[in-house]
Amino acid sequence: MQSPEAKLEQLGIVLGEPKAAVANYLPYVISGNQLFISGQISMGADGLVHGRLGENMTTEQGQAAARLCAINLITQMKGALGSLDRVKRIVKLGGFVNAAPDFVEIPQVINGCSDLMVDAFGDKGRHARSAVACPVLPLGVAVEIDAIVEFE
């Protein structure tokens, strides 16, 4: 079985340094054998991905933004646990999409994150999830996603 880090490398994904919190909260908290990761926003090497789905972004652009959130979540996992091999299960994702009032493809947008979790972690990446629309997100980003992860 291939490690999550090897799978990410095959996908051309290089994990950088975990992002610091931008306000009065911690990037993650460990309680027992669970890792609670604060919301990770759609930010990549080129900066923040701003926009509102159904207004000035397509579903596909939203999925790409959600994938950036997944990369940032995985980066936090590695920073907190030292190795992605310690991940026992992605338990739950909470997805938030900056969306126009009539945009209804919220689950499809968050699939951009969910799909990468399964690609990286296999069956351990299958998770429970919520996906909701918001009229605005911090810093005007398109997507924000948080996670609960079980580890050993």
Side-chain angles (χ1 to χ4, degrees):
M1 177 180 231
Q2 205 173 26
S3 74
E5 284 147 353
K7 289 179 185 177
L8 291 169
E9 187 177 320
Q10 278 185 335
L11 294 169
I13 296 172
V14 177
L15 301 179
E17 292 299 313
K19 306 285 189 280
V22 297
N24 188 15
Y25 64 91
L26 298 171
Y28 64 85
V29 170
I30 293 176
S31 181
N33 66 339
Q34 291 190 320
L35 172 64
F36 296 80
I37 304 173
S38 296
Q40 299 296 298
I41 58 176
S42 50
M43 179 169 46
D46 296 331
L48 297 172
V49 176
H50 297 99
R52 178 167 288 137
L53 278 291
E55 187 174 289
N56 58 10
M57 290 185 79
T58 66
T59 300
E60 292 76 22
Q61 290 170 317
Q63 289 169 335
R67 185 177 173 90
L68 290 174
C69 295
I71 293 167
N72 293 329
L73 286 166
I74 294 169
T75 300
Q76 291 290 352
M77 285 177 218
K78 185 170 181 184
L81 303 175
S83 170
L84 297 177
D85 291 332
R86 293 185 64 196
V87 172
K88 187 173 180 181
R89 179 86 191 219
I90 307 299
V91 177
K92 184 169 193 280
L93 298 178
F96 305 90
V97 177
N98 183 351
D102 60 346
F103 184 80
V104 297
E105 295 181 359
I106 307 306
Q108 291 86 344
V109 168
I110 300 302
N111 279 349
C113 180
S114 293
D115 291 347
L116 184 56
M117 292 301 175
V118 174
D119 289 345
F121 296 99
D123 283 340
K124 294 178 185 181
R126 298 193 184 283
H127 51 270
R129 185 179 90 177
S130 57
V132 298
C134 301
V136 68
L137 287 172
L139 307 174
V141 296
V143 182
E144 179 176 359
I145 304 174
D146 60 23
I148 302 171
V149 178
E150 183 182 9
F151 66 91
E152 39 195 11

